[in-house]
Amino acid sequence: MTDLTRLSASDLAKLISAREVSAVEVATAHLDRIAAVDDRVHAFLHVDRAGALEAAAAVDRGEITGPLAGVPIAVKDVVTTKGVPTTAASKILEGWKPPYDATIVERLKKAGMPILGKTNMDEFAMGSSTEYSAYGPTNNPWDLGRIPGGSGGGSAAALAAYEAPLAIGTDTGGSIRQPGAVTGTVGAKPTYGGTSRYGLIAFSSSLDTPGPCARTVEDTALLHAVIAGHDPRDSTSIPQPVPDVVAAARLGATGDLTGVRLGIVKEFAGDGSEPGVTAAFQESLQKLVKLGAEVVEVSCPHFEYALPAYYLIAPSECSSNLARFDGVRYGLRAGDDGNRSLEEVMSLTREAGFGPEVKRRIIIGTYALSSGYYDAYYGQAQKVRTLITRDFQSAFEKVDVLVSPTTPFVAFPFGSRTSDPYQMYLADLFTIPTNLYGGPAISVPCGLSEGLPVGFQIMAPTLADDRMYRVAAALESAVGTFTPPAL
Ligand code: GLN
């Protein structure tokens, strides 16, 4: 019998709707796989066996139909799930069970998609390796001694380890795309405002974007279509129809890119990517040229300031968003012995509940926003953000999409970048400009370097999510998909 965990979401959906397999069988196969391998991978912080089987049974009873009905999914632990523990991988939220579902979770449930559990991540989505999870890191299925990327390393590893066919991530600076790149899976950051932030535990509200993760481009597009679209509960949600990303992916899969102009960013060239990453990227670019695409060099002179601008804007917003974790309203409370003041209890709670990277960001953000420094740091960073947006706009007058490696280096060994925060921040060198601009971008596996996956990033103009899927599917048709060694 076929191993159901090896099938794509699209094939699983067909088998389920034709009643060749039941949704309960599909959910069970994935839950059993999690039970068999997750002690080695540690992609999950919480597995909801009962909830997943119940949702699957409802599909089998014919109560819900739809393009992904019965296809199970893993959800990053920064997304609220009613009655199911949600910690954002922080001690400060240990044991918290949200009283409501995020909009995207509501949409998954309406689509009949059983939620297998909650995936590991860097605490509050701050990091690029899952090493900042308060519950221990996730191991990359390609090499268990290496990082699976971050912050959404759990979602990406769950896909690569065949524990789930689909997953939800969130991308503030690269946390969907970089984990996708280093695990050989696909991850898309939709246009900012194209997917609802309602029910995400906020990190940097002007950047946070939930999005789809899968092993194929078509599966990613199918999930994108389920979760995207206007939500009146999110004030930055875009009140416009979602472009037909599934049709675009299917068009791209025919392998014709005649007349499509791909922009390569001049300023990315000297940025110290590993030679194996550059080689895999260049080879893939040539394959796209064979499909009819044209390569044009463009200049985006302000991209070199993207990383410093991001590391002022994101911490500033996080220092404000994380003020709500005070020991009064949620989760952990430390030192409340009846003799201490409210201030002291708050401070002891935050001291005990937050990890080192989260504290670093809160301190940087508080400093950057303080009077006297606001104009010099936060104000300047916002100006840079505008200049980066203009760089994208003028590039998109000349080309249809921009392309680059997703990340300068392949999955690195644990511990090799935690001692120097800047080394960790470099993981998102190529992904961050898009977040500052707000456009969509996707990472697609394009080859291997020293046996480890390399990601190819495609960035499109805001609201042109369909365009990036077309190029992504064409690339996939030319390079194929990549399977890690058996666990
Ligand atoms: N690695 C980046 C950071 O640490 C991006 C995180 C994200 O996209 N959530 O902030």
Side-chain angles (χ1 to χ4, degrees), residues 352-378:
F354 289 139
E357 183 62 21
V358 172
K359 285 179 185 154
R360 176 158 40 234
R361 307 264 181 130
I362 292 173
I363 291 167
I364 294 172
T366 307
Y367 182 82
L369 290 178
S370 55
S371 73
Y373 295 107
Y374 183 96
D375 288 338
Y377 294 112
Y378 184 74

PDB file of all heavy atoms in Angstrom, residues 352-378:
ATOM      1  N   ALA A 352      11.918  36.000  34.126  1.00  0.00           N
ATOM      2  CA  ALA A 352      11.888  34.529  34.085  1.00  0.00           C
ATOM      3  C   ALA A 352      11.281  34.007  32.786  1.00  0.00           C
ATOM      4  O   ALA A 352      11.644  32.926  32.311  1.00  0.00           O
ATOM      5  CB  ALA A 352      11.071  33.997  35.274  1.00  0.00           C
ATOM      6  N   GLY A 353      10.356  34.772  32.189  1.00  0.00           N
ATOM      7  CA  GLY A 353       9.570  34.240  31.077  1.00  0.00           C
ATOM      8  C   GLY A 353      10.157  34.436  29.700  1.00  0.00           C
ATOM      9  O   GLY A 353       9.870  33.670  28.785  1.00  0.00           O
ATOM     10  N   PHE A 354      10.967  35.476  29.511  1.00  0.00           N
ATOM     11  CA  PHE A 354      11.531  35.744  28.186  1.00  0.00           C
ATOM     12  C   PHE A 354      12.945  35.190  28.076  1.00  0.00           C
ATOM     13  O   PHE A 354      13.732  35.277  29.017  1.00  0.00           O
ATOM     14  CB  PHE A 354      11.614  37.249  27.919  1.00  0.00           C
ATOM     15  CG  PHE A 354      10.287  37.938  27.701  1.00  0.00           C
ATOM     16  CD1 PHE A 354      10.034  39.191  28.263  1.00  0.00           C
ATOM     17  CD2 PHE A 354       9.292  37.362  26.916  1.00  0.00           C
ATOM     18  CE1 PHE A 354       8.824  39.849  28.050  1.00  0.00           C
ATOM     19  CE2 PHE A 354       8.077  38.017  26.698  1.00  0.00           C
ATOM     20  CZ  PHE A 354       7.843  39.259  27.264  1.00  0.00           C
ATOM     21  N   GLY A 355      13.279  34.692  26.895  1.00  0.00           N
ATOM     22  CA  GLY A 355      14.635  34.207  26.631  1.00  0.00           C
ATOM     23  C   GLY A 355      15.553  35.341  26.186  1.00  0.00           C
ATOM     24  O   GLY A 355      15.124  36.481  26.019  1.00  0.00           O
ATOM     25  N   PRO A 356      16.840  35.017  25.953  1.00  0.00           N
ATOM     26  CA  PRO A 356      17.850  36.057  25.707  1.00  0.00           C
ATOM     27  C   PRO A 356      17.616  36.882  24.437  1.00  0.00           C
ATOM     28  O   PRO A 356      17.833  38.089  24.449  1.00  0.00           O
ATOM     29  CB  PRO A 356      19.158  35.261  25.589  1.00  0.00           C
ATOM     30  CG  PRO A 356      18.747  33.858  25.330  1.00  0.00           C
ATOM     31  CD  PRO A 356      17.410  33.674  25.979  1.00  0.00           C
ATOM     32  N   GLU A 357      17.180  36.249  23.347  1.00  0.00           N
ATOM     33  CA  GLU A 357      17.005  37.015  22.106  1.00  0.00           C
ATOM     34  C   GLU A 357      15.816  37.972  22.235  1.00  0.00           C
ATOM     35  O   GLU A 357      15.874  39.113  21.785  1.00  0.00           O
ATOM     36  CB  GLU A 357      16.828  36.073  20.906  1.00  0.00           C
ATOM     37  CG  GLU A 357      16.711  36.767  19.553  1.00  0.00           C
ATOM     38  CD  GLU A 357      17.937  37.591  19.146  1.00  0.00           C
ATOM     39  OE1 GLU A 357      19.040  37.351  19.680  1.00  0.00           O
ATOM     40  OE2 GLU A 357      17.775  38.500  18.291  1.00  0.00           O
ATOM     41  N   VAL A 358      14.758  37.515  22.876  1.00  0.00           N
ATOM     42  CA  VAL A 358      13.579  38.370  23.052  1.00  0.00           C
ATOM     43  C   VAL A 358      13.947  39.570  23.926  1.00  0.00           C
ATOM     44  O   VAL A 358      13.579  40.714  23.622  1.00  0.00           O
ATOM     45  CB  VAL A 358      12.407  37.552  23.661  1.00  0.00           C
ATOM     46  CG1 VAL A 358      11.244  38.458  24.031  1.00  0.00           C
ATOM     47  CG2 VAL A 358      11.963  36.476  22.678  1.00  0.00           C
ATOM     48  N   LYS A 359      14.703  39.326  24.966  1.00  0.00           N
ATOM     49  CA  LYS A 359      15.131  40.442  25.833  1.00  0.00           C
ATOM     50  C   LYS A 359      15.992  41.424  25.043  1.00  0.00           C
ATOM     51  O   LYS A 359      15.840  42.641  25.175  1.00  0.00           O
ATOM     52  CB  LYS A 359      15.911  39.913  27.042  1.00  0.00           C
ATOM     53  CG  LYS A 359      15.006  39.276  28.080  1.00  0.00           C
ATOM     54  CD  LYS A 359      15.827  38.748  29.246  1.00  0.00           C
ATOM     55  CE  LYS A 359      14.924  38.012  30.219  1.00  0.00           C
ATOM     56  NZ  LYS A 359      15.646  37.000  30.989  1.00  0.00           N
ATOM     57  N   ARG A 360      16.901  40.878  24.233  1.00  0.00           N
ATOM     58  CA  ARG A 360      17.770  41.758  23.435  1.00  0.00           C
ATOM     59  C   ARG A 360      16.918  42.665  22.544  1.00  0.00           C
ATOM     60  O   ARG A 360      17.135  43.872  22.464  1.00  0.00           O
ATOM     61  CB  ARG A 360      18.710  40.896  22.581  1.00  0.00           C
ATOM     62  CG  ARG A 360      19.580  41.712  21.653  1.00  0.00           C
ATOM     63  CD  ARG A 360      20.850  40.982  21.195  1.00  0.00           C
ATOM     64  NE  ARG A 360      20.673  39.583  20.899  1.00  0.00           N
ATOM     65  CZ  ARG A 360      21.403  38.602  21.450  1.00  0.00           C
ATOM     66  NH1 ARG A 360      22.361  38.876  22.298  1.00  0.00           N
ATOM     67  NH2 ARG A 360      21.173  37.344  21.139  1.00  0.00           N
ATOM     68  N   ARG A 361      15.905  42.082  21.903  1.00  0.00           N
ATOM     69  CA  ARG A 361      15.069  42.878  20.989  1.00  0.00           C
ATOM     70  C   ARG A 361      14.276  43.939  21.760  1.00  0.00           C
ATOM     71  O   ARG A 361      14.117  45.061  21.293  1.00  0.00           O
ATOM     72  CB  ARG A 361      14.102  41.979  20.232  1.00  0.00           C
ATOM     73  CG  ARG A 361      14.770  40.823  19.511  1.00  0.00           C
ATOM     74  CD  ARG A 361      15.039  41.119  18.077  1.00  0.00           C
ATOM     75  NE  ARG A 361      15.665  39.946  17.478  1.00  0.00           N
ATOM     76  CZ  ARG A 361      15.260  39.387  16.350  1.00  0.00           C
ATOM     77  NH1 ARG A 361      14.228  39.870  15.700  1.00  0.00           N
ATOM     78  NH2 ARG A 361      15.901  38.348  15.866  1.00  0.00           N
ATOM     79  N   ILE A 362      13.741  43.563  22.919  1.00  0.00           N
ATOM     80  CA  ILE A 362      12.954  44.531  23.698  1.00  0.00           C
ATOM     81  C   ILE A 362      13.845  45.703  24.119  1.00  0.00           C
ATOM     82  O   ILE A 362      13.444  46.869  24.042  1.00  0.00           O
ATOM     83  CB  ILE A 362      12.310  43.848  24.933  1.00  0.00           C
ATOM     84  CG1 ILE A 362      11.238  42.844  24.490  1.00  0.00           C
ATOM     85  CG2 ILE A 362      11.709  44.897  25.884  1.00  0.00           C
ATOM     86  CD1 ILE A 362      10.667  41.995  25.614  1.00  0.00           C
ATOM     87  N   ILE A 363      15.067  45.386  24.503  1.00  0.00           N
ATOM     88  CA  ILE A 363      15.982  46.459  24.950  1.00  0.00           C
ATOM     89  C   ILE A 363      16.353  47.363  23.763  1.00  0.00           C
ATOM     90  O   ILE A 363      16.283  48.597  23.868  1.00  0.00           O
ATOM     91  CB  ILE A 363      17.239  45.846  25.619  1.00  0.00           C
ATOM     92  CG1 ILE A 363      16.834  45.201  26.953  1.00  0.00           C
ATOM     93  CG2 ILE A 363      18.307  46.914  25.847  1.00  0.00           C
ATOM     94  CD1 ILE A 363      17.899  44.299  27.560  1.00  0.00           C
ATOM     95  N   ILE A 364      16.679  46.758  22.625  1.00  0.00           N
ATOM     96  CA  ILE A 364      17.027  47.572  21.443  1.00  0.00           C
ATOM     97  C   ILE A 364      15.834  48.440  21.042  1.00  0.00           C
ATOM     98  O   ILE A 364      15.968  49.640  20.777  1.00  0.00           O
ATOM     99  CB  ILE A 364      17.432  46.681  20.242  1.00  0.00           C
ATOM    100  CG1 ILE A 364      18.727  45.925  20.538  1.00  0.00           C
ATOM    101  CG2 ILE A 364      17.586  47.516  18.961  1.00  0.00           C
ATOM    102  CD1 ILE A 364      19.097  44.882  19.491  1.00  0.00           C
ATOM    103  N   GLY A 365      14.654  47.828  21.014  1.00  0.00           N
ATOM    104  CA  GLY A 365      13.459  48.548  20.573  1.00  0.00           C
ATOM    105  C   GLY A 365      13.081  49.675  21.513  1.00  0.00           C
ATOM    106  O   GLY A 365      12.711  50.778  21.078  1.00  0.00           O
ATOM    107  N   THR A 366      13.183  49.431  22.800  1.00  0.00           N
ATOM    108  CA  THR A 366      12.843  50.464  23.780  1.00  0.00           C
ATOM    109  C   THR A 366      13.807  51.646  23.644  1.00  0.00           C
ATOM    110  O   THR A 366      13.402  52.807  23.685  1.00  0.00           O
ATOM    111  CB  THR A 366      12.919  49.875  25.203  1.00  0.00           C
ATOM    112  OG1 THR A 366      12.104  48.700  25.237  1.00  0.00           O
ATOM    113  CG2 THR A 366      12.412  50.855  26.243  1.00  0.00           C
ATOM    114  N   TYR A 367      15.068  51.313  23.425  1.00  0.00           N
ATOM    115  CA  TYR A 367      16.088  52.347  23.245  1.00  0.00           C
ATOM    116  C   TYR A 367      15.794  53.169  21.984  1.00  0.00           C
ATOM    117  O   TYR A 367      15.774  54.402  22.003  1.00  0.00           O
ATOM    118  CB  TYR A 367      17.458  51.665  23.148  1.00  0.00           C
ATOM    119  CG  TYR A 367      18.616  52.612  23.003  1.00  0.00           C
ATOM    120  CD1 TYR A 367      19.158  53.240  24.117  1.00  0.00           C
ATOM    121  CD2 TYR A 367      19.179  52.869  21.758  1.00  0.00           C
ATOM    122  CE1 TYR A 367      20.232  54.101  23.992  1.00  0.00           C
ATOM    123  CE2 TYR A 367      20.248  53.730  21.621  1.00  0.00           C
ATOM    124  CZ  TYR A 367      20.778  54.346  22.741  1.00  0.00           C
ATOM    125  OH  TYR A 367      21.831  55.203  22.614  1.00  0.00           O
ATOM    126  N   ALA A 368      15.525  52.455  20.880  1.00  0.00           N
ATOM    127  CA  ALA A 368      15.317  53.152  19.595  1.00  0.00           C
ATOM    128  C   ALA A 368      14.080  54.045  19.627  1.00  0.00           C
ATOM    129  O   ALA A 368      14.004  55.027  18.896  1.00  0.00           O
ATOM    130  CB  ALA A 368      15.190  52.135  18.467  1.00  0.00           C
ATOM    131  N   LEU A 369      13.126  53.714  20.476  1.00  0.00           N
ATOM    132  CA  LEU A 369      11.893  54.507  20.524  1.00  0.00           C
ATOM    133  C   LEU A 369      11.937  55.594  21.600  1.00  0.00           C
ATOM    134  O   LEU A 369      11.016  56.404  21.697  1.00  0.00           O
ATOM    135  CB  LEU A 369      10.679  53.599  20.810  1.00  0.00           C
ATOM    136  CG  LEU A 369      10.255  52.649  19.690  1.00  0.00           C
ATOM    137  CD1 LEU A 369       9.075  51.793  20.155  1.00  0.00           C
ATOM    138  CD2 LEU A 369       9.870  53.412  18.427  1.00  0.00           C
ATOM    139  N   SER A 370      12.998  55.615  22.406  1.00  0.00           N
ATOM    140  CA  SER A 370      12.989  56.558  23.523  1.00  0.00           C
ATOM    141  C   SER A 370      13.208  57.984  23.022  1.00  0.00           C
ATOM    142  O   SER A 370      13.841  58.202  21.979  1.00  0.00           O
ATOM    143  CB  SER A 370      14.054  56.172  24.558  1.00  0.00           C
ATOM    144  OG  SER A 370      15.304  56.082  23.945  1.00  0.00           O
ATOM    145  N   SER A 371      12.673  58.948  23.770  1.00  0.00           N
ATOM    146  CA  SER A 371      12.746  60.328  23.293  1.00  0.00           C
ATOM    147  C   SER A 371      14.206  60.740  23.245  1.00  0.00           C
ATOM    148  O   SER A 371      15.015  60.358  24.077  1.00  0.00           O
ATOM    149  CB  SER A 371      11.941  61.256  24.195  1.00  0.00           C
ATOM    150  OG  SER A 371      12.605  61.433  25.404  1.00  0.00           O
ATOM    151  N   GLY A 372      14.570  61.471  22.227  1.00  0.00           N
ATOM    152  CA  GLY A 372      15.961  61.831  22.037  1.00  0.00           C
ATOM    153  C   GLY A 372      16.639  60.918  21.034  1.00  0.00           C
ATOM    154  O   GLY A 372      17.556  61.311  20.342  1.00  0.00           O
ATOM    155  N   TYR A 373      16.199  59.664  20.959  1.00  0.00           N
ATOM    156  CA  TYR A 373      16.800  58.724  20.005  1.00  0.00           C
ATOM    157  C   TYR A 373      15.845  58.362  18.881  1.00  0.00           C
ATOM    158  O   TYR A 373      16.240  57.802  17.867  1.00  0.00           O
ATOM    159  CB  TYR A 373      17.256  57.449  20.719  1.00  0.00           C
ATOM    160  CG  TYR A 373      18.364  57.717  21.698  1.00  0.00           C
ATOM    161  CD1 TYR A 373      18.130  57.696  23.063  1.00  0.00           C
ATOM    162  CD2 TYR A 373      19.654  58.019  21.238  1.00  0.00           C
ATOM    163  CE1 TYR A 373      19.139  57.971  23.962  1.00  0.00           C
ATOM    164  CE2 TYR A 373      20.670  58.293  22.126  1.00  0.00           C
ATOM    165  CZ  TYR A 373      20.412  58.265  23.496  1.00  0.00           C
ATOM    166  OH  TYR A 373      21.417  58.541  24.358  1.00  0.00           O
ATOM    167  N   TYR A 374      14.576  58.636  19.083  1.00  0.00           N
ATOM    168  CA  TYR A 374      13.530  58.231  18.134  1.00  0.00           C
ATOM    169  C   TYR A 374      13.867  58.675  16.713  1.00  0.00           C
ATOM    170  O   TYR A 374      13.879  57.874  15.774  1.00  0.00           O
ATOM    171  CB  TYR A 374      12.199  58.837  18.591  1.00  0.00           C
ATOM    172  CG  TYR A 374      11.006  58.456  17.770  1.00  0.00           C
ATOM    173  CD1 TYR A 374      10.177  57.402  18.166  1.00  0.00           C
ATOM    174  CD2 TYR A 374      10.681  59.152  16.612  1.00  0.00           C
ATOM    175  CE1 TYR A 374       9.076  57.052  17.428  1.00  0.00           C
ATOM    176  CE2 TYR A 374       9.575  58.809  15.863  1.00  0.00           C
ATOM    177  CZ  TYR A 374       8.777  57.763  16.272  1.00  0.00           C
ATOM    178  OH  TYR A 374       7.682  57.415  15.531  1.00  0.00           O
ATOM    179  N   ASP A 375      14.178  59.961  16.536  1.00  0.00           N
ATOM    180  CA  ASP A 375      14.452  60.477  15.192  1.00  0.00           C
ATOM    181  C   ASP A 375      15.711  59.867  14.596  1.00  0.00           C
ATOM    182  O   ASP A 375      15.759  59.549  13.408  1.00  0.00           O
ATOM    183  CB  ASP A 375      14.610  62.008  15.213  1.00  0.00           C
ATOM    184  CG  ASP A 375      13.269  62.677  15.436  1.00  0.00           C
ATOM    185  OD1 ASP A 375      12.238  62.018  15.141  1.00  0.00           O
ATOM    186  OD2 ASP A 375      13.248  63.817  15.925  1.00  0.00           O
ATOM    187  N   ALA A 376      16.719  59.694  15.459  1.00  0.00           N
ATOM    188  CA  ALA A 376      18.005  59.197  14.964  1.00  0.00           C
ATOM    189  C   ALA A 376      17.914  57.738  14.529  1.00  0.00           C
ATOM    190  O   ALA A 376      18.614  57.319  13.606  1.00  0.00           O
ATOM    191  CB  ALA A 376      19.070  59.343  16.046  1.00  0.00           C
ATOM    192  N   TYR A 377      17.088  56.937  15.200  1.00  0.00           N
ATOM    193  CA  TYR A 377      17.039  55.514  14.886  1.00  0.00           C
ATOM    194  C   TYR A 377      15.732  55.119  14.203  1.00  0.00           C
ATOM    195  O   TYR A 377      15.709  54.796  13.012  1.00  0.00           O
ATOM    196  CB  TYR A 377      17.269  54.683  16.160  1.00  0.00           C
ATOM    197  CG  TYR A 377      18.654  54.866  16.715  1.00  0.00           C
ATOM    198  CD1 TYR A 377      18.869  55.511  17.917  1.00  0.00           C
ATOM    199  CD2 TYR A 377      19.763  54.401  16.001  1.00  0.00           C
ATOM    200  CE1 TYR A 377      20.150  55.692  18.425  1.00  0.00           C
ATOM    201  CE2 TYR A 377      21.051  54.579  16.489  1.00  0.00           C
ATOM    202  CZ  TYR A 377      21.243  55.221  17.702  1.00  0.00           C
ATOM    203  OH  TYR A 377      22.505  55.396  18.176  1.00  0.00           O
ATOM    204  N   TYR A 378      14.644  55.139  14.942  1.00  0.00           N
ATOM    205  CA  TYR A 378      13.380  54.658  14.374  1.00  0.00           C
ATOM    206  C   TYR A 378      12.978  55.498  13.160  1.00  0.00           C
ATOM    207  O   TYR A 378      12.619  54.968  12.101  1.00  0.00           O
ATOM    208  CB  TYR A 378      12.284  54.677  15.444  1.00  0.00           C
ATOM    209  CG  TYR A 378      10.981  54.096  14.965  1.00  0.00           C
ATOM    210  CD1 TYR A 378      10.834  52.717  14.805  1.00  0.00           C
ATOM    211  CD2 TYR A 378       9.901  54.919  14.657  1.00  0.00           C
ATOM    212  CE1 TYR A 378       9.651  52.173  14.352  1.00  0.00           C
ATOM    213  CE2 TYR A 378       8.714  54.382  14.208  1.00  0.00           C
ATOM    214  CZ  TYR A 378       8.588  53.012  14.056  1.00  0.00           C
ATOM    215  OH  TYR A 378       7.416  52.490  13.597  1.00  0.00           O
TER     216      TYR A 378
END
